[in-house]
Amino acid sequence: MTDRPLTLMAVHAHPDDEATGTGGVLARYAAEGIRTVLVTCTDGGCGDGPGGVKPGDPGHDPAAVALMRRQELEASCDVLKVSDLEMLDYADSGMTGWPSNDAPGSFWQTPVEEGAARLAELMRHYRPDVVVTYDENGFYGHPDHIQAHRITMAALEMTALTPKVYWTTMPRSMMQRFGETVREFQEDMPEPDPAEAAAMAEIGLPDDEITTWVDTTAFSGQKFDALAAHASQGENIFFLKMGKERFGEWMGIETFVRVKDATGAAVPENDLFAGLR
């Protein structure tokens, strides 16, 4: 037996990612007395600047954006009652195909072994019982999400720890309905071209391949408020357009696929800590 608290570690790419995919579980498990550790890999400097100014446009200052986004991230963590925030502070690589992908010092250009070694040090310090990150495609192909996946899985190999490991996902049935909801709130949104539609159809997993469905309905308000804390990026956060009530209807379940487990807990499961308590 040990007095060490059960610990969840979520490894995300940018400020605001913590709220989108795992805001519910971070808030729920914090309320249950579990230690929640958030590792944010990049500084978010490729986000929108004040007034919505875009990266590469006159007046966009990545260093100033990064500082603003750190403050927003800290506010989000306060809302979600995150126990410990760790920032690796790599430069944001931007979206696929942006020149910032190739910038020296960007997360995408960082050797996996280097990032993994830093993350492994944090894992040895916090000794997480559960680790959550993205799948091999970073859920939707973002370079920094892919890199976060790579360093997380490599870091786990560098340690002697055996946490349960999960990748965030969404059921395909929900993705289909999500597309319909987006068009409901953005009536002037053009129909996606066939290639884009086909790519969207591959995001997430068939419902029967999802191992873990966690009910976070009681914490959907906190999740919404955590997203709203990232006010500078509000233009890019579609979910905020729903309003809190509709958001709660949509975002009351967070889903994962379990990829490493030493507990033998049966799946499907409704608790990331099944078999650990």
Side-chain angles (χ1 to χ4, degrees):
M1 298 295 291
T2 176
D3 292 331
R4 185 181 65 83
L6 286 172
T7 300
L8 165 65
M9 175 179 282
V11 183
H12 283 291
H14 311 98
D16 78 25
D17 290 332
E18 80 291 339
T20 305
T22 57
V25 292
L26 287 169
R28 170 181 162 167
Y29 289 123
E32 293 179 7
I34 288 171
R35 187 176 199 176
T36 52
V37 180
L38 170 62
V39 181
T40 301
C41 296
T42 79
D43 61 11
C46 285
D48 288 357
V53 63
K54 305 297 181 185
D57 288 349
H60 187 277
D61 180 350
V65 171
L67 176 60
M68 175 177 61
R69 296 195 71 185
R70 182 185 181 103
Q71 293 167 344
E72 292 176 338
L73 177 60
E74 290 171 350
S76 171
C77 287
D78 285 344
V79 170
L80 298 173
K81 309 301 182 189
V82 169
S83 307
D84 300 271
L85 170 62
E86 297 283 356
M87 296 194 70
L88 299 185
D89 268 334
Y90 289 109
D92 190 341
S93 309
M95 300 295 285
T96 303
W98 287 13
S100 47
N101 294 175
D102 301 320
S106 71
F107 191 38
W108 185 239
Q109 291 300 317
T110 299
V112 170
E113 296 76 13
E114 177 191 319
R118 294 182 62 196
L119 182 56
E121 185 176 344
L122 292 174
M123 288 179 174
R124 294 185 190 102
H125 174 72
Y126 289 107
R127 303 186 64 81
D129 301 280
V130 171
V131 173
V132 176
T133 192
Y134 315 100
D135 63 19
E136 307 100 314
N137 192 45
F139 185 59
Y140 69 97
H142 192 297
D144 287 331
H145 290 226
I146 293 171
Q147 189 76 329
H149 162 85
R150 290 174 176 171
I151 73 162
T152 301
M153 302 312 291
L156 288 162
E157 292 297 320
M158 292 177 178
T159 73
L161 304 173
T162 57
K164 298 177 78 176
V165 180
Y166 294 89
W167 297 341
T168 57
T169 191
M170 284 185 71
R172 294 255 171 90
S173 60
M174 184 179 291
M175 289 299 298
Q176 181 178 354
R177 289 187 288 115
F178 178 65
E180 297 165 358
T181 302
V182 170
R183 284 187 285 277
E184 174 188 340
F185 282 88
Q186 297 179 204
E187 295 179 358
D188 58 346
M189 181 178 177
E191 289 290 327
D193 64 51
E196 188 177 314
M200 283 292 293
E202 292 302 312
I203 292 177
L205 287 173
D207 293 33
D208 61 0
E209 293 183 20
I210 292 174
T211 63
T212 312
W213 305 69
V214 183
D215 185 353
T216 60
T217 305
F219 303 93
S220 59
Q222 277 177 263
K223 181 171 178 172
F224 184 92
D225 290 343
L227 275 172
H230 297 280
S232 69
Q233 309 306 306
E235 181 183 329
N236 303 318
I237 303 176
F238 165 77
F239 299 106
L240 295 176
K241 298 180 173 69
M242 293 182 173
K244 189 172 285 190
E245 183 176 348
R246 189 73 180 276
F247 179 88
E249 296 171 3
W250 258 99
M251 306 298 285
I253 301 288
E254 290 184 351
T255 51
F256 307 86
V257 58
R258 193 175 83 191
V259 294
K260 288 183 180 292
D261 171 62
T263 69
V267 293
E269 60 187 359
N270 59 12
D271 179 10
L272 297 179
F273 289 85
L276 292 169
R277 55 180 178 174

